[in-house]
Every structure is written in structure tokens, then in C-alpha cells.
Amino acid sequence: MNQDKMHLVNKIFNNETIRTVWDKEQEKYFISVVDIVRVVSESDNPRNYWKVLKHRLKQEGNESVTNCNQLKLKSSDGKYYNTDVVDIEGMFRIIESIPSKNAEPIKQWLAKLGSERIDETFDPSLAAQRAIDLYRSKGFDEKWIAKRIKGIQDRKQLTDVWKDGGITESKEYAILTNEIYKEWSGMTAKQYKSFKGLRKESLRDNMTDVEVALADLGEIATREIAKKKNPKGLNENIEVARRGGKIAGNAREDLEKEIGESVVTSNNALNYEYVDEKEIEMK
């Protein structure tokens, strides 16, 4: 199944042809600006429309939109050309800049999302319920959802301990998480996602119950060791993260000896399978 066109983009544009590509390095989807303009503005010459709009936005000082990336995208003639692309955030900003009846439903949807997020700041339980409802809509059963919510709470307790140890940067949290994962799975989180064929999807959401248990064990062990040892700074916390991950790694080794097979699997929860366009052409 080719899922190069993300479900969100398809939904927003009523399944119109919007060229969407995945950047492995940045772990982002990028969307063709000309395709967005064509669908939203209904212009007969979307390239010229974007040229004029881009000039106007630049004059207004909207650098976040006008400083587009360029990627080679396949055109209708089968050839690849450098094309202006934006990420999801940039896509919405362009839509908001186009005066068109086609843009209104999207703008209203964005306004509704913003209102919901404000409501959640006053009543955080709304956010929790939204997460539960989303998991239900994806087909996860109630027991799995309960464990997942508990895992989120456990993760928060770990990051709180890290924060007490002087960890403040998101990059540092990612480094420590990777140290735990490497000790029990042999892979970083990014490598693990690639192994499972995932892109933006949550790694934890696509683990088996055994994988989730090992991930939880590694993080809980790290948390408890850190509470006792009180490490300070990134280097000391890395050492503790490795020790916590090793405990989960030992548990994995023991289980695999008993059952005679690896418990780390490439399977994912919803059978995602991404096929690159070039791979399709070779078949």
C-alpha cells in the first residue's frame, strides 16, 4: 500500500492530487506549494498565482512561508523538477493567505482546533479524553489504551526526574531515550521506527505488548536508579540511562532464551507499509 500521500493531506483536500514527500533526515512531510495553490485558489495558472502570492507575502515580511524548501517532484510529464515545498505548518499558513471559498472550511477547521486546545488548557481532562477517543477510533482495545495512558504517565515521571538532574533541552531528552532503547533493543528510537516501517506514527503505539513492557521497564528502571543516584548533567544521566536500559535488555535476553525467538519485531499495529515512488517505478 503506497501511503506517500499522508492521510491528513488527503482529508483536507478531498483526495485531490497533492504531491507529498517524506524527508527521512528531517522526519517531516513536505507538500507541493503549487498543488496547494491549485486546489485552494482554483487558478488556471497556479505557478503564476504562487509567484505573485509569494512576492506579496515577502513584502509583508512573512519569511516563514516565503523561505520554502525545494525538492525534486515528479511532474505530469513524468520528469522530476525542483518544486517549492512546505511542511504541514507552512501549508496551513499558505491556505490562510489565499482568499477563496475553498479555503474557508479549512480555516474554520483550524479555528475549531485552536478553540479546543484553549479549552484543554482550562480542563486538561479534555485532552486525555481526546487521546482515548483517538485510540478507540484506530481500533485499539480498552486494556491496551489503559496501559498506554499509564505508560504516558510513567514517561512523564521519568522526564521530571531528568529535569531535576539538569536536563532541559529536547535534544538531551532524545539522547537519553536513545541510550535506553539501544541497551535493550539494539536500536535508537529512529532506527526502531525505520525497522517497523513507520514515519510520523508513534513507535510506542506500534509495539507489541512485550516490546511495550520492555520499553516501560527500561524507563522505570532508569527513573528509579536516577532517584537514588541523583545524577547531574547529560553525561551522568547517560550512564544511568544505559544502566536502566540494560536491566530491560537482560529481561529481553532471558525471555528470548526461554521462547527461542526474538521479541523485537518489525510488525506494526496497523500494518503500515510505505513504498517509495522510485521503488514502484522499478516494479
Side-chain angles (χ1 to χ4, degrees):
M1 176 175 57
N2 180 10
Q3 294 191 4
D4 273 352
K5 293 182 177 62
M6 195 172 51
H7 294 308
L8 174 61
V9 175
N10 274 339
K11 182 179 180 181
I12 290 172
F13 296 106
N14 295 320
N15 293 318
E16 292 278 355
T17 300
I18 306 292
R19 289 171 295 173
T20 306
V21 294
W22 173 251
D23 187 296
K24 292 182 180 179
E25 294 303 316
Q26 297 187 60
E27 293 189 297
K28 276 187 176 183
Y29 280 99
F30 286 95
I31 303 101
S32 165
V33 175
V34 171
D35 291 352
I36 297 169
V37 170
R38 172 179 53 79
V39 173
V40 176
S41 71
E42 295 185 310
S43 170
D44 293 330
N45 191 340
R47 291 187 182 279
N48 188 62
Y49 190 106
W50 168 235
K51 182 179 179 181
V52 174
L53 177 61
K54 186 176 182 179
H55 179 70
R56 175 171 67 80
L57 292 173
K58 182 172 286 189
Q59 285 185 321
E60 294 173 355
N62 198 334
E63 297 292 333
S64 61
V65 173
T66 54
N67 289 337
C68 297
N69 293 295
Q70 280 206 331
L71 293 175
K72 284 194 173 182
L73 300 184
K74 189 176 182 180
S75 185
S76 57
D77 63 5
K79 297 180 180 179
Y80 288 81
Y81 299 96
N82 283 329
T83 306
D84 280 351
V85 295
V86 289
D87 59 15
I88 299 298
E89 182 180 355
M91 177 186 75
F92 285 131
R93 287 179 175 171
I94 288 173
I95 291 171
E96 290 175 335
S97 303
I98 298 176
S100 166
K101 60 180 176 60
N102 291 337
E104 286 309 309
I106 301 171
K107 292 177 183 179
Q108 291 173 15
W109 178 61
L110 288 172
K112 183 174 182 292
L113 286 180
S115 176
E116 289 174 351
R117 297 304 172 271
I118 291 173
D119 290 342
E120 288 169 3
T121 63
F122 291 103
D123 185 358
S125 67
L126 294 174
Q129 187 59 53
R130 179 168 56 87
I132 291 170
D133 290 342
L134 280 171
Y135 281 130
R136 284 173 177 162
S137 70
K138 290 178 177 291
F140 292 103
D141 63 43
E142 296 300 316
K143 289 183 178 179
W144 185 95
I145 294 172
K147 290 179 181 178
R148 183 69 179 98
I149 298 300
K150 178 63 165 58
I152 293 172
Q153 294 173 321
D154 289 339
R155 170 72 181 182
K156 178 62 168 61
Q157 291 176 5
L158 171 60
T159 56
D160 285 345
V161 171
W162 280 341
K163 187 176 180 179
D164 291 340
I167 304 303
T168 58
E169 301 290 334
S170 58
K171 180 173 67 176
E172 294 177 321
Y173 288 112
I175 289 171
L176 294 174
T177 300
N178 280 333
E179 292 299 327
I180 297 172
Y181 271 89
K182 285 190 293 185
E183 287 297 326
W184 73 262
S185 74
M187 295 176 280
T188 64
K190 184 176 181 179
Q191 290 168 337
Y192 208 157
K193 288 182 72 171
S194 178
F195 177 63
K196 283 184 172 289
L198 304 173
R199 289 183 177 175
K200 293 293 284 185
E201 300 83 16
S202 164
L203 174 57
R204 197 71 68 99
D205 287 356
N206 286 277
M207 288 181 172
T208 65
D209 57 350
V210 174
E211 290 173 304
V212 168
L214 291 171
D216 286 346
L217 176 58
E219 293 191 345
I220 291 171
T222 299
R223 181 191 72 203
E224 294 305 305
I225 296 171
K227 286 163 65 176
K228 290 291 185 182
K229 302 298 182 182
N230 195 29
K232 297 297 180 183
L234 182 59
N235 289 335
E236 290 185 13
N237 273 285
I238 284 176
E239 179 58 32
V240 170
R242 288 171 177 166
R243 290 165 66 180
K246 182 62 176 175
I247 290 171
N250 291 337
R252 174 191 171 184
E253 290 177 6
D254 290 342
L255 178 56
E256 288 179 344
K257 285 178 182 178
E258 291 292 333
I259 64 177
E261 61 184 30
S262 176
V263 296
V264 173
T265 172
S266 61
N267 295 337
N268 57 57
L270 300 179
N271 297 316
Y272 293 108
E273 182 183 353
Y274 291 101
V275 181
D276 290 335
E277 190 174 64
K278 290 181 180 179
E279 292 179 3
I280 297 172
E281 292 176 347
M282 292 173 63
K283 293 181 180 179

